[in-house]
Amino acid sequence: MFCWFAFVVMCWSSARAQGGLSSGFYSSTCPEAEATVRSTVETYFNKDPTIAPGLLRLHFHDCFVQGCDCSVLISGDSAERAALPNQGLRGFEVIDDAKAKIEAICPGVVSCADILAFAARDAVDLTGGRSWSVPTGRRDGRVSSSSDATSLPSPADSIAVQRQKFSDKGLDDHDLVTLVGAHTIGQTDCLFFRYRLYNFTATSNPDPSIDQAFLVQLQSMCPAKGDPSRRVALDPGSPTQFDVGFFKNVRDGKGVLESDQRQWGDPVTQKTVQNYAGTFRGLLGLRFDFEFAKAMVKMGGVGVKTGAQGEIRRVCSSFN
């Protein structure tokens, strides 16, 4: 009970300090907001559980470009969502649906950026992770350009590059490893890691860091000339459960993406991976949940627009 109380106090305190955001921002202006988002996410999740990692990734990609201002939801050939790194994003319809429902009861009050932050939290909760108090008060951005998406992490990034991209957003090494732990419920295309299986660093050989038995498994799922769009779980052992399985995989040479596996080769990030992977799954699983909630609150405060900045969009896919 004490640990849970301390966790709640920590999240509340963190929420009050995130760039002018605060918990309960809509308590008087739109008290139904969080429940409306939750019910919408749950409806989609019950039909397709893979929407959960989609929503989490959507929030992540939004925050890494222009800050957490829902610029990624704007439609258009030159908009942020049209950038190559965003081509596989999912969940737009969930946010649009939640926004429409909220507009019907509280017009012009709740931002798309806050709806997306709520939805990401709910996606984690629905897959067995820990819920948290989402600090709110974000406003939606008025800029969305595909050329700004260069700051997004890539599956082939080295630890040095990953470290710099996260540092540029005010996120440290611990945040890096913790947030990448979201891959415990993620999927990726063969296209983004098949080079590791057959021609790593142009040697015509596989990446030597891949566990041999796992290499055979991946090669069977992603043949050299197979469908590059075939989806593969980033945590094959428990792809729909928000747990520490992902970190155990990285520890054991079973990371699917090169950028994930490289975390084991760096002494700083390896220490955090080992702490999460550990031996006692239940205890350390709870610790990861605890740290993930903190990291999400921290990331959710990156580059936010508050007060008179930005706008409250009527429709998430277009500026007012």
Side-chain angles (χ1 to χ4, degrees):
M1 286 297 294
F2 174 79
C3 290
W4 174 248
F5 175 76
F7 173 76
V8 171
V9 171
M10 176 279 298
C11 281
W12 182 85
S13 299
S14 297
R16 302 294 299 183
Q18 292 299 309
L21 306 180
S22 63
S23 295
F25 184 82
Y26 300 110
S27 59
S28 61
T29 56
C30 192
E32 305 93 339
E34 287 196 58
T36 301
V37 175
R38 170 66 184 219
S39 64
T40 303
V41 172
E42 196 163 3
T43 296
Y44 282 86
F45 177 81
N46 288 338
K47 295 177 182 177
D48 177 13
T50 66
I51 199 64
L55 291 168
L56 194 52
R57 184 169 178 242
L58 192 60
H59 182 45
F60 181 92
H61 277 231
D62 179 49
C63 291
F64 261 69
V65 182
Q66 295 286 343
C68 308
D69 66 350
C70 234
S71 52
V72 75
L73 262 75
I74 295 296
S75 297
D77 293 339
S78 61
E80 191 177 311
R81 69 193 283 180
L84 184 61
N86 289 330
Q87 291 304 293
L89 291 180
R90 303 177 58 216
F92 296 100
E93 72 282 6
V94 182
I95 307 305
D96 288 338
D97 191 2
K99 175 63 171 176
K101 291 174 181 175
I102 290 176
E103 283 294 299
I105 55 177
C106 309
V109 174
V110 183
S111 69
C112 298
D114 280 342
I115 291 173
L116 180 52
F118 285 143
R121 183 269 312 275
D122 295 336
V124 173
D125 185 44
L126 286 166
T127 51
R130 186 191 293 271
S131 186
W132 63 89
S133 176
V134 176
T136 44
R138 300 169 187 79
R139 289 172 66 85
D140 301 319
R142 292 194 177 103
V143 175
S144 182
S145 173
S146 59
S147 62
D148 292 332
T150 56
S151 60
L152 286 167
S154 162
D157 281 347
S158 66
I159 286 296
V161 172
Q162 293 181 65
R163 180 175 283 128
Q164 186 60 57
K165 288 181 178 180
F166 275 72
S167 177
D168 288 345
K169 305 303 176 186
L171 302 169
D172 58 27
D173 283 359
H174 184 75
D175 300 320
L176 162 61
V177 177
T178 304
L179 290 169
V180 171
H183 287 173
T184 183
I185 56 170
Q187 292 181 312
T188 190
D189 294 350
C190 290
L191 172 68
F192 297 114
F193 68 89
R194 190 163 58 186
Y195 68 93
R196 298 185 67 207
L197 312 182
Y198 303 100
N199 191 29
F200 185 64
T201 61
T203 61
S204 298
N205 294 310
D207 184 341
S209 68
I210 304 176
D211 172 81
Q212 287 302 300
F214 189 56
L215 172 64
V216 173
Q217 182 181 340
L218 289 177
Q219 288 176 331
S220 69
M221 291 188 287
C222 296
K225 296 183 179 180
D227 180 3
S229 65
R230 181 175 180 180
R231 306 286 285 170
V232 174
L234 293 170
D235 178 7
S238 53
T240 61
Q241 291 297 310
F242 204 89
D243 58 21
V244 296
F246 168 78
F247 297 106
K248 292 177 181 291
N249 291 338
V250 171
R251 179 196 63 191
D252 298 338
K254 298 178 181 178
V256 176
L257 298 178
E258 180 183 358
S259 57
D260 291 347
Q261 190 58 53
R262 294 299 162 255
Q263 292 189 3
W264 190 249
D266 179 270
V268 177
T269 55
Q270 182 187 100
K271 183 177 179 180
T272 304
V273 171
Q274 180 63 69
N275 284 340
Y276 287 147
T279 303
F280 302 103
R281 178 171 181 172
L283 177 61
L284 292 177
L286 291 175
R287 181 178 176 179
F288 166 56
D289 283 356
F290 180 87
E291 295 297 323
F292 188 79
K294 288 199 302 181
M296 286 294 288
V297 169
K298 186 175 179 180
M299 186 192 75
V302 170
V304 295
K305 296 163 181 63
T306 59
Q309 300 172 318
E311 63 183 13
I312 304 296
R313 286 184 217 141
R314 291 185 291 272
V315 177
C316 291
S317 59
S318 62
F319 301 122
N320 289 344

